[in-house]
Amino acid sequence: RFHVNFDWEILQLVRETRCLDRMQGQEIPESARMILLQEMKFKSYNHELTYFLKEYRRITQNIKPITALMKPHIENLEFKMRPGLVILTWTSMNIESYLEEIWKELDRLEMLVLAINDLMDSRIDANLKVVSNVLLVNLPDEGELVSLDEFVDMQER
């Protein structure tokens, strides 16, 4: 559902600007020079956002089939991610704080998912297995007919 909106032609522009810079006497447009100066920042943001989305997918795929209970927490994370979808651009000044905020929220979601999965695995599922193996009623052998009194006697033994 989410992806990083990074135009790979920016990296081509950076390579071309470097080539122009190496050629003496070539005029480099100011906008290209600004992109060249911000190359590492763009690459870093792209890498971090890509990794964030990979982790987001990993964590949301680990959610057990109780997604209705997790929905408010996922929506809260997606609400925190919203500025990156709508407001922020690659040249915004507050990308660092945005990244910090979404990572904190993703960490909270991961801790919650791990705790719930642990509860499901070690407590709920384990207890359901024990209960499913408990013999509640002794049934007569197949094909054997018993009276009500005999059936009650079988249960009391």
Side-chain angles (χ1 to χ4, degrees), residues 10-88:
I10 290 174
L11 297 179
Q12 181 178 349
L13 174 66
V14 167
R15 281 191 297 276
E16 290 172 0
T17 304
R18 268 205 198 100
C19 289
L20 282 175
D21 192 34
R22 288 183 193 133
M23 302 166 94
Q24 302 300 330
Q26 292 295 323
E27 183 72 26
I28 300 174
E30 189 61 31
S31 58
R33 190 177 304 280
M34 294 303 296
I35 296 291
L36 180 62
L37 294 173
Q38 297 179 13
E39 173 190 12
M40 292 312 295
K41 182 175 82 168
F42 292 151
K43 285 181 177 179
S44 170
Y45 291 159
N46 179 46
H47 176 70
E48 188 166 357
L49 287 168
T50 302
Y51 181 64
F52 173 83
L53 290 178
K54 182 179 175 187
E55 287 295 292
Y56 170 79
R57 288 183 194 103
R58 179 186 63 82
I59 292 168
T60 54
Q61 287 173 352
N62 282 334
I63 295 175
K64 300 270 180 171
I66 52 170
T67 52
L69 296 174
M70 294 299 295
K71 189 171 181 160
H73 300 284
I74 295 170
E75 287 174 350
N76 188 38
L77 173 60
E78 290 176 358
F79 177 76
K80 299 277 183 166
M81 292 167 59
R82 187 145 178 77
L85 302 172
V86 180
I87 299 169
L88 294 177

Side-chain angles (χ1 to χ4, degrees), residues 48 52 94-108:
E48 188 166 357
F52 173 83
N94 55 347
I95 293 178
E96 294 291 331
S97 61
Y98 168 75
L99 289 171
E100 255 180 59
E101 189 68 28
I102 61 173
W103 274 111
K104 275 195 272 185
E105 197 60 38
L106 185 67
D107 288 341
R108 279 190 213 126

Side-chain angles (χ1 to χ4, degrees), residues 107-124:
D107 288 341
R108 279 190 213 126
L109 179 65
E110 181 176 28
M111 295 306 292
L112 183 62
V113 167
L114 290 174
I116 289 174
N117 287 348
D118 182 50
L119 270 170
M120 290 290 293
D121 292 339
S122 65
R123 296 202 180 139
I124 297 172

